[in-house]
């Protein structure tokens, strides 16, 4: 939400998103999950040079996947 709502400096937003995605990726790996959210986290954390557009897109995708019904 911090990235989507532009809370904090760009570097702060980048750090928050990176930490959230790294934690999510580690959690998915530890539990053996392979959901779309896990795949997104795995793909995003290996990208370099995160632009604001990339962070916006990734943050919105995460929010959509979190809010999606569990059957998806």
């Amino acid at each position: 939400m911090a990235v989507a709502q532009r809370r904090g400096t760009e570097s702060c937003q980048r750090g928050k998103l990176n930490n959230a995605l790294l934690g999510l990726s580690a959690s998915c790996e530890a539990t053996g999950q392979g959901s779309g959210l896990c795949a997104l986290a795995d793909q995003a954390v290996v990208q370099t040079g995160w632009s604001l557009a990339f962070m916006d897109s990734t943050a919105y995708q995460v929010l959509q996947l979190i809010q999606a019904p569990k059957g998806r």
Side-chain angles (χ1 to χ4, degrees):
M1 290 297 297
V3 174
Q5 295 176 351
R6 294 270 196 265
R7 286 191 238 150
T9 64
E10 183 178 339
S11 62
C12 182
Q13 292 173 32
R14 186 174 289 113
K16 287 179 182 181
L17 184 58
N18 189 43
N19 286 339
L21 291 170
L22 285 170
L24 178 59
S25 182
S27 176
C28 290
E29 186 175 332
T31 60
Q33 293 184 21
S35 68
L37 187 57
C38 294
L40 175 63
D42 287 343
Q43 291 171 359
V45 296
V46 297
Q47 297 295 318
T48 58
W50 288 11
S51 66
L52 278 175
F54 175 80
M55 291 191 306
D56 282 344
S57 174
T58 303
Y60 283 113
Q61 288 178 62
V62 167
L63 292 173
Q64 286 177 338
L65 289 168
I66 288 172
Q67 296 171 359
K70 298 294 182 204
R72 282 189 172 173

